[in-house]
Amino acid sequence: MKTELLDVSPTRKEIKIELDSATVRQAYDRISDRYAKQATVPGFRPGHAPRAVVRNRFKNEIRGQVLQELVPEAVDAAIHKHELHALGEPDVQLENAEALEKLGEAPVSVKVNVEVLPKVDLHDYKNIEVVRQTRPITDERVTEMLDALRETSAAMQPVEDRGAALGDTVTINVEGKFVDLPEEENIQQDDVEVNLGGQGVQQEFTDNLIGTKADDEKTFLVVYPEDYRSPELAGKKVEYTAKVTAVRVKELPEVDDEWAGSLGEEFDSVATLRTKIRENMERQAVQEADHRLRADLMQKLLDRHEFEVPHSLVEHQTSYRLESVVRDMIGRGVDPRNQNVNWEGAREELRAQAEADVRGSLLLEQIAQEEKIDVSSEEIEAEIQAIADSSKQPIEQVRSVLTKEGGERSIASRLRNRKALDLLVENAQVKNEEWREKKDEG
């Protein structure tokens, strides 16, 4: 067997393999004889048909088995010979199909495309200059959080002495008819809660339900914009008949020690509550600052190391990011199937982020190797325990699933990369600066 390695790119290698005619002929004869012993051919006793007759009758089957017997073994041997660590299955192509017409009389040539990890040359990964910006926690922000807690403690009280006003919640049973599409099935929903003037509420609902009381009935037209979030309604006109069943107003609790105590035994007063809120926000601010610093550090590391990354790994990470988007939509109660989303476009947008993810992971793995960073079994066990705690599952169940899916190796790799990033932070030139909002942060 002859092989030749071609360096297509840092992540793609091509191996040309030539199987000599003697090797092919031996396999051809052996498989032909096996067919001759087992095959039933009209005009011959079972197992006694001549080899030439069998080869003619079972030509395609015998060719297929010859290739199946010789090629995978030759590919594995060639990959091992050239010391390649293939990612995924190699792409194997027959180069001289004409050799199959006279099998065993000429060499068989195949071309193998293999994807591999690139060689990562590290440089300047220590003493990277980064800034730390910690969000200030002001009295105003503490008050905003206190107000948010009041919102969660609010009670909905029925309104009986007046009509509905902005901010009220009106409960309706509603029927909708598509004006331009009478053949469409009517919309029929009961107990729909409409927050008058609220975010996402069509203005026509707010305008027509203001001033209503329980048992009132209103008929009105809603013209949905072409880019409305629900494709079933986008660009359509619907005539609604709404029967009001209740009008309620949100009542916020008084900010006093009694209300503070209702939130937990540790809050004996409003002052204590404000202190705890501030402490929690300051703790989150430190975590946020650390996250931003690490993200900026990784970006600077990426900027210093440009190299090709394997296409298959980028595609896998792109799919993972897209699945995360879908899971997030489902978690927010949004059905991804009903959204007017260009998923191919979204995938393209995520691909650049995925490529950065893969490059960053390869860099951290190389740094971990350079710095001889190891992960102990105790650290892996602690991480499994943390996963069990966060998912509220028994640790034995989590460990069982991870073992089946090779998850422990993944955890070890993730911990090793985390330690490598910790090392970069420890060796970075960190400068503290005043907080500034980033464009993509609110």
Side-chain angles (χ1 to χ4, degrees), residues 44-231:
F44 299 93
R45 286 183 297 147
H48 288 77
R51 180 189 280 176
V53 174
V54 170
R55 282 177 171 174
N56 185 60
R57 185 174 180 84
F58 300 101
K59 179 172 61 177
N60 292 333
E61 292 86 345
I62 292 174
R63 285 179 181 175
Q65 287 207 12
V66 169
L67 293 176
Q68 190 174 0
E69 181 174 303
L70 295 178
V71 173
E73 184 177 339
V75 169
D76 288 344
I79 290 174
H80 181 73
K81 174 185 175 181
H82 293 288
E83 299 181 341
L84 300 179
H85 300 285
L87 296 173
E89 291 295 322
D91 176 34
V92 182
Q93 300 173 21
L94 183 65
E95 285 209 289
N96 60 338
E98 64 276 5
L100 300 183
E101 296 301 324
K102 296 182 179 180
L103 207 57
E105 297 181 18
V108 172
S109 299
V110 295
K111 179 173 67 175
V112 184
N113 290 298
V114 180
E115 193 171 39
V116 298
L117 290 175
K119 184 177 183 297
V120 179
D121 294 318
L122 292 174
H123 51 85
D124 299 334
Y125 64 87
K126 290 184 179 179
N127 297 313
I128 298 176
E129 294 183 0
V130 287
V131 299
R132 180 188 297 278
Q133 299 174 356
T134 305
R135 187 190 296 269
I137 306 304
T138 62
D139 290 341
E140 290 75 17
R141 295 199 65 223
V142 173
T143 299
E144 288 174 6
M145 184 59 67
L146 193 70
D147 290 340
L149 286 174
R150 287 181 73 204
E151 287 284 341
T152 63
S153 302
M156 300 300 293
Q157 300 294 343
V159 174
E160 298 175 346
D161 58 346
R162 60 171 175 79
L166 280 176
D168 289 348
T169 296
V170 178
T171 306
I172 57 175
N173 296 335
V174 65
E175 180 179 6
K177 298 178 182 179
F178 291 93
V179 175
D180 298 326
L181 299 167
E183 71 279 3
E184 288 276 342
E185 185 178 350
N186 288 351
I187 299 169
Q188 190 85 42
Q189 285 186 294
D190 290 342
D191 299 324
V192 178
E193 294 193 344
V194 182
N195 180 19
L196 300 187
Q199 185 176 2
V201 176
Q202 283 295 110
Q203 189 62 40
E204 294 94 333
F205 275 88
T206 295
D207 293 342
N208 285 278
L209 294 176
I210 280 182
T212 59
K213 297 181 179 180
D215 296 327
D216 284 354
E217 188 170 287
K218 280 292 191 85
T219 299
F220 52 92
L221 182 69
V222 175
V223 179
Y224 289 96
E226 293 290 342
D227 59 350
Y228 190 66
R229 61 182 178 275
S230 174

Side-chain angles (χ1 to χ4, degrees), residues 386-406:
I387 294 172
D389 292 342
S390 63
S391 62
K392 295 182 171 56
Q393 294 180 359
I395 189 170
E396 295 79 9
Q397 181 179 338
V398 172
R399 188 182 292 107
S400 174
V401 171
L402 289 172
T403 301
K404 288 179 182 177
E405 299 178 353

